[in-house]
Amino acid sequence: MAPAGDFQSAYQALTHGADAVYLGLQEFSARKAAKNFSLDEVRRIVQFAHERGQAVYLAMNTLVKEAELTPLIELLHHVSLLGTDGIIVQDLGLARVIKDHFPSLKLHGSTQIAVHNASGVRFLQGIGFTRVVLARELTMQEISSIREECPDVELKIFIHGALCYSISGMCLASGMILGRSGNRGACGQICRTFSEVSSLDGAGPYGYFFSMKDLSLNERVRELQEIGIDSLKIEGRMKSPSYTAEVSEMYRAILDGKKYDPDRADLAFSRVSAAGWAGEYHRPDRADLDTSLVNPTFSGHTGIEAGVITGRDRGAAVIRTSCPLAVRDGVQLLKDDTNLPGIQKAIPFSISSMKDRKGRPITSCRKGDIISIPVSEPVTIGETLYKISGHDSDMKLVNPLSVSPYSYPVTTEITIGTDRLSLRTGIPAIEFECSHEVSLLIDEAKAPRPVGGILDQAFCVSDPQLPFHTESITVVNDSTYPDDGIFIPPKQLKQARREWHVRLKEQFDIHVRERSAVLAAECRQDGRFVSELPKRSLVTAEGYVTDDSVYLPLSPVQFSELDFTRIDRKLERLRTTYPGKSVIVGISNIGQVEWYTRQDSISCFIDYHLYCANSQTAVLFSGQLHDCIGAYYWIEDRDRPVQPGYDSWGIPLSYIDTNFNPPIFITRTCFRKDSLDQSCSTCRGRSYDYELEQKGRDFHVEVRDCMSYVYVKKP
């Protein structure tokens, strides 16, 4: 499955080997800065894909605010008619709306839901999801185990592209610091920013400590095939059409057992790459492997090695090439920053001219040639030149209007009277019905001809203003003539069709508006916020004790089933320490719901990492969790819903107090090892603490149990 940030990327992916593409609309997309798709463009790429036996998935993978329920539901009416093969969802409230009111849409769980274990998969399957995108931080062994435990649900794995520093769906950095939530598609990529460690002896090291290498599983995807993974996903909706084309072609070749040139994909876009957690990371048995997933020296596009500088010649660099080059290719030098030794900065430029080793002008060269090119920067013999774009890398643009749009098929009933046609159609999936009567001349035909064929020809015609069309008709003949003896003037039939389509457009628009308002009103619950939960800043990982209760927040990270055994032991200790007090656990990950349903002596609350951003999420969880006493409202939202009718969602909600300081990053990498290049040999399970500074902001990093937690330091 390839990414598509716009129509051109989708077209290139589908014509270069991808079995499917995923894309977003202008709203409710986790890649808000991408060009994205209009409804008309989705219809056209769906038709193009389906004609070729390929699939299109729509990503509506952001959190939804309560005030957006009405426009969201209105949009879903249109989405339900697009013909897409599935909807990728993060917000479980949105999933509830789809399941209850748009059941024809197939639900696919986004990696942003943070599915770490088989329990999480079973929870999503139980509420209507047919496919689940697992967290990117799972090892091959963990993926295989989930596949074995969940054989009857489709599983999808990321195999290529950018990695987030924080565990999937758990990054709060951009939202908490910049007010631009990554869970709303507006990530400010704080992880790619330069930082300096200030807590070590002397001048602290510096670098892009949170900048992950790119994921590239390459041949390892065959292992995923063997264990039965249903879909392999490439990241990159912000990248170019040439990227989607080249990466799609590369993985098509790998899966088909054919040869491929990885340089072509790397040239389109690549950072330093690694095989991630599904590859060799977390492999202590392979000490020879460079398993770091962070590249602290450079955070940008590196491209491919173009050659080594072997000499200088009057403003030109002499190069022994490592790949073919041509005039107008984009290249760059990665030079050490003179102010920050060990950090690289890019010096990009375009090859304006080229000479061979005899000084003759040329326009292109082959791998292994000796050439000279003009450079404006001083160069050093032995430096590497990188190629970052090709002069011919731009893809030919395809006009979306050249592709016919998909149109949702409906059946229309036409009743023939003595002097009129009565038309009736509907779309049961969205409870839409429309009828219309047209007066016209109906007479006896001079030559026999079945009336069904006449009406098919007249009314089974698409209208670009409508997202649906009459695919077939049923005829009821109430006239005085036999079915093969009816004559209707063709001109009047054309006019009747025009009137019918105008009527359909008017009634469809009215229906969508009115039904959306009704459904949104039904979703909302009257009431008020009730602050029954304690201040979140008081509820620490070790628990918070009141006069009659003990509050214990569970970790949002739940990779191992052994974690539940540890929870059980901790609960026993709390019961022993505080006899007679009720125990209330905070559910922080969907993988904990199944465990909680087996408990009969504790209550729960919905903690901040389940993102209760709208009433439908709260209602869904309140129905799944017995004895749920309340929920903390979505922590990133600075515009609290205070309007009448918006402020009670089936369970009491509490705002999180400003003293609460959650980790902005929770990562399955070790900051000490991956970012600071320290050895694991002396760790032996110890915990480490570091202080960082980034653009005037201070951070605290805790490393424990091979994971890292990054906090903003408050004054």
Side-chain angles (χ1 to χ4, degrees):
M1 180 190 293
D6 60 15
F7 187 91
Q8 305 302 327
S9 293
Y11 182 91
Q12 295 301 335
L14 293 171
T15 54
H16 283 80
D19 297 306
V21 293
Y22 64 100
L23 48 88
L25 297 169
Q26 306 296 329
E27 302 171 283
F28 307 110
S29 167
R31 291 295 180 266
K32 193 174 182 179
K35 186 176 179 181
N36 290 316
F37 283 70
S38 66
L39 290 170
D40 180 72
E41 287 175 325
V42 176
R43 291 173 61 197
R44 294 178 189 278
I45 205 65
V46 164
Q47 183 70 14
F48 179 77
H50 287 182
E51 287 176 353
R52 299 163 55 89
Q54 297 160 308
V56 176
Y57 300 97
L58 181 62
M60 298 183 72
N61 52 342
T62 61
L63 297 182
V64 178
K65 295 185 178 184
E66 184 74 3
E68 295 170 333
L69 281 178
T70 300
L72 170 69
I73 291 172
E74 188 167 334
L75 180 62
L76 285 172
H77 282 86
H78 297 279
V79 167
S80 65
L81 305 182
L82 290 176
T84 55
D85 299 276
I87 309 296
I88 304 171
V89 172
Q90 174 189 10
D91 192 299
L92 296 181
L94 169 57
R96 183 176 188 270
V97 171
I98 289 174
K99 185 173 183 294
D100 287 354
H101 304 295
F102 302 92
S104 64
L105 297 175
K106 292 182 179 179
L107 283 170
H108 292 187
S110 168
T111 190
Q112 292 292 102
I113 299 179
V115 181
H116 300 158
N117 52 42
S119 296
V121 174
R122 287 191 290 266
F123 172 79
L124 290 183
Q125 188 178 11
I127 62 173
F129 283 78
T130 60
R131 177 179 288 185
V132 178
V133 187
L134 298 180
R136 288 175 285 187
E137 295 76 20
L138 295 173
T139 66
M140 192 70 75
Q141 182 178 355
E142 290 165 337
I143 294 169
S144 179
S145 176
I146 292 173
R147 175 74 289 174
E148 290 178 7
E149 290 191 53
C150 306
D152 54 349
V153 63
E154 295 180 358
L155 297 179
K156 186 194 303 183
I157 303 295
F158 272 96
I159 60 170
H160 196 93
L163 288 169
C164 295
Y165 187 73
S166 190
I167 289 172
S168 301
M170 292 187 178
C171 180
L172 298 176
S174 184
M176 298 291 286
I177 295 172
L178 303 178
R180 296 171 49 189
S181 172
N183 291 300
R184 294 274 291 173
C187 178
Q189 294 198 327
I190 288 175
C191 54
R192 302 292 182 189
T193 306
F194 185 83
S195 303
E196 182 172 359
V197 175
S198 56
S199 60
L200 301 181
D201 294 336
Y206 36 73
Y208 302 95
F209 291 134
F210 307 136
S211 183
M212 299 289 282
K213 296 177 181 177
D214 275 4
L215 174 64
S216 183
L217 277 178
N218 291 331
E219 299 288 343
R220 300 294 297 267
V221 297
R222 292 179 175 275
E223 295 177 51
L224 294 171
Q225 269 190 316
E226 290 169 3
I227 65 177
I229 298 303
D230 301 278
S231 180
L232 307 174
K233 188 172 184 178
I234 298 165
E235 182 277 338
R237 281 195 282 153
M238 296 291 291
K239 297 186 175 78
S240 68
S242 60
Y243 170 86
T244 60
E246 298 295 354
V247 178
S248 297
E249 195 167 289
M250 179 179 75
Y251 280 103
R252 178 80 279 145
I254 292 173
L255 294 172
D256 292 347
K258 299 179 180 178
K259 292 183 179 181
Y260 67 97
D261 180 5
D263 280 356
R264 289 170 55 186
D266 288 344
L267 181 61
F269 187 89
S270 64
R271 296 182 179 92
V272 175
S273 64
W277 290 270
E280 62 264 12
Y281 193 71
H282 276 220
R283 288 281 300 278
D285 57 314
R286 291 291 306 277
D288 59 308
L289 291 172
D290 176 17
T291 59
S292 173
L293 297 185
V294 174
N295 180 20
T297 62
F298 185 66
S299 64
H301 171 41
T302 55
I304 61 174
E305 186 174 317
V308 176
I309 296 175
T310 59
R312 298 181 294 267
D313 183 18
R314 291 175 295 183
V318 180
I319 300 165
R320 181 182 295 276
T321 61
S322 305
C323 69
L325 288 173
V327 172
R328 294 190 295 111
D329 282 349
V331 293
Q332 72 179 7
L333 294 165
L334 291 179
K335 288 183 168 290
D336 287 341
D337 192 316
T338 55
N339 298 317
L340 300 168
I343 301 300
Q344 293 181 311
K345 63 178 181 179
I347 310 295
F349 59 98
S350 176
I351 298 177
S352 59
S353 62
M354 182 185 299
K355 295 180 180 179
D356 64 14
R357 67 168 64 201
K358 295 183 178 180
R360 296 172 297 192
I362 55 176
T363 57
S364 63
C365 67
R366 297 170 298 179
K367 177 181 178 180
D369 287 351
I370 302 294
I371 65 167
S372 63
I373 61 173
V375 292
S376 58
E377 291 281 330
V379 295
T380 304
I381 294 175
E383 272 189 298
T384 300
L385 183 73
Y386 295 89
K387 182 177 178 179
I388 56 174
S389 66
H391 66 284
D392 56 353
S393 61
D394 289 338
M395 297 286 181
K396 183 179 179 180
L397 295 179
V398 178
N399 185 354
L401 297 179
S402 67
V403 178
S404 299
Y406 170 84
S407 185
Y408 188 88
V410 299
T411 297
T412 297
E413 180 184 277
I414 302 178
T415 300
I416 306 172
T418 57
D419 60 354
R420 67 189 59 244
L421 291 183
S422 299
L423 301 104
R424 184 165 62 89
T425 192
I427 306 173
I430 58 172
E431 301 177 357
F432 171 64
E433 290 186 359
C434 183
S435 59
H436 186 55
E437 286 193 350
V438 182
S439 298
L440 41 69
L441 174 65
I442 296 175
D443 206 347
E444 184 177 6
K446 294 181 180 179
R449 182 183 174 189
V451 72
I454 296 172
L455 296 177
D456 269 341
Q457 187 175 4
F459 288 95
C460 293
V461 177
S462 297
D463 184 332
Q465 298 298 314
L466 290 169
F468 52 88
H469 72 284
T470 296
E471 182 182 50
S472 61
I473 63 172
T474 59
V475 179
V476 178
N477 184 5
D478 286 345
S479 73
T480 58
Y481 307 112
D483 289 349
D484 61 351
I486 297 175
F487 172 77
I488 304 174
K491 186 175 181 180
Q492 291 192 30
L493 278 178
K494 289 182 180 180
Q495 179 60 30
R497 183 182 67 224
R498 283 194 291 268
E499 289 184 24
W500 173 233
H501 285 177
V502 169
R503 172 75 173 176
L504 282 173
K505 180 70 168 61
E506 291 174 348
Q507 292 302 305
F508 178 75
D509 290 345
I510 291 171
H511 174 77
V512 168
R513 287 196 303 271
E514 292 180 347
R515 185 171 187 258
S516 299
V518 169
L519 294 182
E522 290 176 356
C523 289
R524 298 187 184 114
Q525 313 266 332
D526 289 332
R528 59 188 180 83
F529 274 94
V530 182
S531 298
E532 293 189 358
L533 296 177
K535 290 183 178 180
R536 188 58 185 82
S537 59
L538 300 176
V539 185
T540 67
E542 297 305 313
Y544 173 65
V545 183
T546 66
D547 291 340
D548 54 5
S549 303
V550 180
Y551 292 82
L552 179 66
L554 303 183
S555 171
V557 180
Q558 203 81 39
F559 288 108
S560 170
E561 297 295 327
L562 292 175
D563 291 337
F564 296 116
T565 302
R566 298 188 186 100
I567 294 171
D568 290 336
R569 291 171 181 168
K570 195 165 189 176
L571 289 175
E572 283 302 313
R573 289 196 299 270
L574 287 174
R575 291 189 183 101
T576 302
T577 305
Y578 304 102
K581 292 184 183 292
S582 61
V583 177
I584 307 169
V585 297
I587 306 299
S588 297
N589 185 281
I590 61 168
Q592 296 160 353
V593 175
E594 186 179 67
W595 166 85
Y596 178 75
T597 58
R598 298 193 297 265
Q599 312 301 312
D600 57 7
S601 60
I602 61 176
S603 301
C604 75
F605 63 90
I606 299 170
D607 211 352
Y608 70 99
H609 258 304
L610 284 187
Y611 300 137
C612 262
N614 57 69
S615 59
Q616 298 310 286
T617 301
V619 170
L620 182 144
F621 279 121
S622 66
Q624 296 287 326
L625 300 167
H626 63 273
D627 296 328
C628 180
I629 67 168
Y632 287 109
Y633 179 65
W634 174 34
I635 189 171
E636 291 179 291
D637 188 11
R638 299 179 181 183
D639 301 319
R640 297 179 175 184
V642 295
Q643 298 96 328
Y646 282 59
D647 48 8
S648 179
W649 302 345
I651 53 175
L653 259 76
S654 299
Y655 290 129
I656 294 177
D657 59 297
T658 56
N659 289 328
F660 180 53
N661 190 26
I664 58 168
F665 293 135
I666 302 176
T667 178
R668 206 181 189 184
T669 66
C670 173
F671 181 81
R672 181 175 181 273
K673 175 183 181 296
D674 288 86
S675 299
L676 302 181
D677 197 28
Q678 301 293 306
S679 171
C680 293
S681 61
T682 60
C683 184
R684 296 194 181 98
R686 291 174 56 191
S687 296
Y688 296 86
D689 293 272
Y690 300 95
E691 308 300 320
L692 272 74
E693 188 273 335
Q694 181 194 82
K695 287 191 172 181
R697 306 183 193 97
D698 293 322
F699 297 90
H700 175 73
V701 183
E702 295 178 2
V703 179
R704 58 180 185 271
D705 299 327
C706 298
M707 291 188 59
S708 303
Y709 304 81
V710 182
Y711 301 83
V712 176
K713 288 187 67 177
K714 294 192 174 184

